[in-house]
Amino acid sequence: MGKIKELYDEERPYEKCERFGAENLTDIELLAVLLRTGTRGESALALARRILHPSMYQEGILSIHSWSYEQLLKFKGIGKVKAIQILCISELAKRLAKAVAGKELDFSTPASIAKYYMEDMRHQKQERMKLLLLNTKSRLIGETEISKGTVNASIVSPRELFIEALQKNAVSIILLHNHPSGDPEPSREDVLITKRVQEAGYMIGVELLDHIVIGDNRYVSFKEQGYL
């Protein structure tokens, strides 16, 4: 079994961390420390390298967010325990990023909203749309996922959306959805959805404050672009 303690001193990430600090470990070394063991004939470092760099086209550490439980189990040397460990590492990273962004969250500022939801949404492989419900002080009183898959006008119903808003006594709302391609440029469907929701909101007195499209570390705000 390729355990970390069986490696030469210069190849032992645990000892390297102890001597020089975690900040001096590579991404592969950090993952190897958490995995602890590899497989027969393969060290934990080699296993970590295969997970982070399965091919020349993968994104290194960002690959952590791309694996499902079923996909991880297909890796030689990854069983249920290691698969769960990796999924938990991914989730912990997202929550840490969200907690940091939460300190600056201001629902009147599109940039802070996009930053807060970025890690939740930019790694998704399908389009997802969230509805954010705000009170008279522009504070969040609720959020819900209103569609999953391709976001289009036939799926996103203003009627159901505003029923949710009225039930929570929201006075304003924000739409938020991701583009798995990484490009946040609004599509024709995005513009159509926004217009329909805005018009319906005028009629019942619940204002659409913004529609934010999340890409890969980028976003587009309809408010900032002058569409709202």
Side-chain angles (χ1 to χ4, degrees), residues 81-119:
V81 173
K82 281 188 171 62
I84 289 172
Q85 286 176 329
I86 293 168
L87 292 176
C88 288
I89 291 168
S90 172
E91 183 60 28
L92 184 60
K94 291 177 185 178
R95 294 189 189 189
L96 283 168
K98 194 170 183 178
V100 172
K103 295 180 179 179
E104 303 174 355
L105 181 59
D106 177 356
F107 284 97
S108 66
T109 307
S112 74
I113 300 170
K115 184 177 180 181
Y116 183 73
Y117 288 98
M118 184 65 68
E119 289 306 305

Side-chain angles (χ1 to χ4, degrees), residues 60-85:
I61 194 169
L62 289 179
S63 295
I64 287 285
H65 294 305
S66 67
W67 300 120
S68 67
Y69 179 71
E70 291 75 20
Q71 289 173 325
L72 286 167
L73 290 178
K74 293 179 181 179
F75 275 86
K76 181 183 178 182
I78 298 292
K80 293 181 179 180
V81 173
K82 281 188 171 62
I84 289 172
Q85 286 176 329

Side-chain angles (χ1 to χ4, degrees), residues 133-141 168-172 205 209:
L133 307 170
L134 308 177
N135 64 14
T136 54
K137 297 181 179 180
S138 293
R139 292 180 179 173
L140 186 69
I141 56 175
K168 297 288 178 61
N169 294 316
V171 298
S172 58
L209 297 179

Side-chain angles (χ1 to χ4, degrees), residues 109-195:
T109 307
S112 74
I113 300 170
K115 184 177 180 181
Y116 183 73
Y117 288 98
M118 184 65 68
E119 289 306 305
D120 271 353
M121 302 190 73
R122 74 184 181 109
H123 303 291
Q124 298 290 340
K125 296 179 180 179
Q126 291 182 304
E127 285 196 21
R128 297 190 177 194
M129 178 171 281
K130 288 181 179 288
L131 170 66
L132 310 184
L133 307 170
L134 308 177
N135 64 14
T136 54
K137 297 181 179 180
S138 293
R139 292 180 179 173
L140 186 69
I141 56 175
E143 67 175 69
T144 184
E145 186 170 280
I146 56 176
S147 73
K148 180 179 179 181
T150 302
V151 174
N152 60 53
S154 64
I155 295 175
V156 180
S157 165
R159 179 179 180 276
E160 294 179 4
L161 187 153
F162 283 108
I163 286 175
E164 182 80 17
L166 293 171
Q167 286 177 340
K168 297 288 178 61
N169 294 316
V171 298
S172 58
I173 60 172
I174 294 172
L175 293 178
L176 187 75
H177 88 274
N178 65 304
H179 281 177
S181 67
D183 181 1
E185 189 63 29
S187 67
R188 179 180 176 278
E189 286 288 350
D190 297 339
V191 174
L192 179 59
I193 290 167
T194 305
K195 183 177 180 180

